Amino acid sequence: MRVGTPAESRPAERRVACVPDTVSALVDAGLTVHVQEGAGRHAHAPDAAYRAAGATVTPEDPTPESDVVVSVQPLTLDQAAKLKPGAVTISFLQSANERDLLEVYRDRRVTSFSFDLLPRVTRAQSADALSSQALVAGYRAVLVAAERLPRFLPMFTTAAGTVPPAKVLVLGAGVAGLQAIATARRLGAVVEAYDVRKAAGEEVRSLGAKFLELDLETQSGVYASVQSEEFLERQRELIGEHVAASDIVITTAAIPGRKAPVLVTTDMLKAMAPGSVLVDLAAESGGNYAGSVAGKETWVGEVLVHGALNLPSSMPVHASRLYARNVLNLLKLMIVDGVVQPNLDDEVLDGCCLTHDGQIRKELP
């Protein structure tokens, strides 16, 4: 069977879904791999490296001839219309934003899998692309903030006096938040963090940051769930003073398939010191600050708000390596004797399958 990797065509996407290391593993599993010329250029994976790993590099998009198509962003409508009937696709596909694409997949009897819906179970961890890319985003968010902050992050003791360390507040202690905490600590900042899950406190403290204990009901479990507006209002009241005291705020709270909860208000930002920075990792899903605009920087008084847009794509080398490994591990669940045969009795595959056998399997938001 033929696995195809097209060059990403959506704006500002610099990652690639297959790297030479994973090509070798797919070939060893009995598949043939076809990669479009230049697909890995931003990730510094040259065509020659793909060939050396056993792939065929094609000048044209390999999508129409492929049995399996792997990509980062969803295929375009034009690409989807050229898929083989019964083909398999793997990508980040948000059903709420891709209704037309899902209808094309349905009509062509395509089996499509989305990492956005991958079940959060132990067996699926090695294929968890949301987590791997969140790690990249959390790291990059701190670098973005540090570059824009008009002061040092670490403390310096000099003949001219002592420069105190910057104060960083991270809201949300999932994968992105924990990586942001670790990176800010490495750069010498004093870090505080908050999460609705009490269990996150231990992880935050293990990284050398202070965990904020707010007078709020906490959640159990590994992942945060939707909160009521009354809860969010009380949360904002208690967070406000900590936001005002910070030089950098990084917000990471997002709920797949839903609008991001608003954690930071304009009044909070106006209380921050001039030159402070907010990096909103949830800007693409509405923003943890309601005024965030994905891909743009705006000023609220003298505070800079950076609406993050696809931060993992700004570090395409390691983001691609991690993502390609996630793709490989998901495919391994489907490969039987050199043939990709998705078994939807498998809870992992069933959970992230959007279309199959002429049907849209998940309710569209």
Side-chain angles (χ1 to χ4, degrees):
M1 294 188 74
R2 179 180 295 194
V3 177
T5 303
E8 296 291 326
S9 59
R10 301 221 176 185
E13 183 53 71
R14 305 173 72 226
R15 293 170 289 178
V16 64
C18 183
V19 297
D21 285 348
T22 58
V23 166
S24 301
L26 291 171
V27 171
D28 289 344
L31 305 175
T32 62
V33 181
H34 294 249
V35 179
Q36 187 173 358
E37 282 183 0
R41 65 187 182 281
H42 296 302
H44 296 281
D47 293 341
Y50 283 108
R51 292 190 184 97
T56 299
V57 177
T58 64
E60 304 296 332
D61 181 355
T63 295
E65 293 81 29
S66 298
D67 303 295
V68 180
V69 180
V70 298
S71 60
V72 181
Q73 298 294 336
L75 300 180
T76 64
L77 290 174
D78 182 60
Q79 287 175 311
K82 297 175 183 177
L83 283 167
K84 287 182 176 181
V88 173
T89 68
I90 298 175
S91 66
F92 280 117
L93 200 169
Q94 296 180 336
S95 58
N97 302 327
E98 303 287 351
R99 291 171 182 263
D100 292 344
L101 180 60
L102 289 176
E103 290 174 1
V104 174
Y105 283 170
R106 177 197 62 199
D107 295 344
R108 297 193 68 78
R109 307 184 74 81
V110 169
T111 299
S112 62
F113 295 94
S114 173
F115 283 115
D116 275 356
L117 298 174
L118 191 80
R120 298 299 185 91
V121 296
T122 301
R123 280 187 62 244
Q125 286 181 348
S126 64
D128 189 354
L130 283 176
S131 291
S132 75
Q133 302 307 291
L135 180 144
V136 182
Y139 172 82
R140 186 64 173 173
V142 176
L143 302 187
V144 168
E147 184 179 18
R148 287 154 178 76
L149 187 71
R151 55 162 299 166
F152 293 126
L153 262 70
M155 181 181 74
F156 287 103
T157 301
T158 75
T162 299
V163 177
K167 296 179 180 179
V168 176
L169 173 63
V170 178
L171 299 178
V175 175
L178 291 172
Q179 187 55 230
I181 292 166
T183 304
R185 287 284 296 138
R186 291 188 193 104
L187 292 176
V190 174
V191 184
E192 293 183 329
Y194 170 72
D195 195 286
V196 295
R197 298 165 300 122
K198 188 174 182 179
E202 183 177 343
E203 295 176 298
V204 168
R205 287 186 282 267
S206 73
L207 295 172
K210 177 183 177 182
F211 185 71
L212 299 182
E213 301 276 1
L214 302 184
D215 184 21
L216 286 168
E217 179 183 351
T218 58
Q219 292 184 9
S220 59
V222 179
Y223 304 104
S225 57
V226 179
Q227 297 287 352
S228 68
E229 185 54 40
E230 291 78 11
F231 178 95
L232 292 172
E233 181 61 34
R234 177 60 177 158
Q235 186 181 67
R236 289 189 285 266
E237 290 176 8
L238 298 175
I239 287 174
E241 62 182 88
H242 297 281
V243 172
S246 302
D247 300 295
I248 292 173
V249 176
I250 296 174
T251 63
T252 71
I255 302 170
R258 294 180 180 268
K259 190 176 185 298
V262 175
L263 305 180
V264 178
T265 65
T266 297
D267 288 342
M268 291 182 199
L269 295 182
K270 289 183 176 179
M272 296 178 75
S276 298
V277 179
L278 166 69
V279 177
D280 190 348
L281 289 182
E284 292 181 73
S285 57
N288 295 144
Y289 167 60
S292 295
V293 180
K296 293 187 178 181
E297 294 186 341
T298 55
W299 288 90
V300 179
E302 294 187 68
V303 174
L304 179 65
V305 176
H306 179 91
L309 176 64
N310 195 3
L311 282 189
S313 187
S314 67
M315 304 196 73
V317 172
H318 283 119
S320 295
R321 289 180 186 177
L322 292 170
Y323 182 76
R325 182 61 60 174
N326 297 141
V327 169
L328 171 64
N329 289 331
L330 186 62
L331 269 175
K332 282 182 176 179
L333 298 178
M334 311 180 203
I335 299 172
V336 180
D337 297 329
V339 178
V340 177
Q341 296 178 330
N343 176 8
L344 299 186
D345 290 333
D346 184 315
E347 65 171 333
V348 175
L349 299 180
D350 175 64
C352 63
C353 182
L354 275 168
T355 60
H356 176 69
D357 197 24
Q359 295 182 341
I360 297 176
R361 304 180 70 252
K362 308 295 182 185
E363 182 180 351
L364 296 183

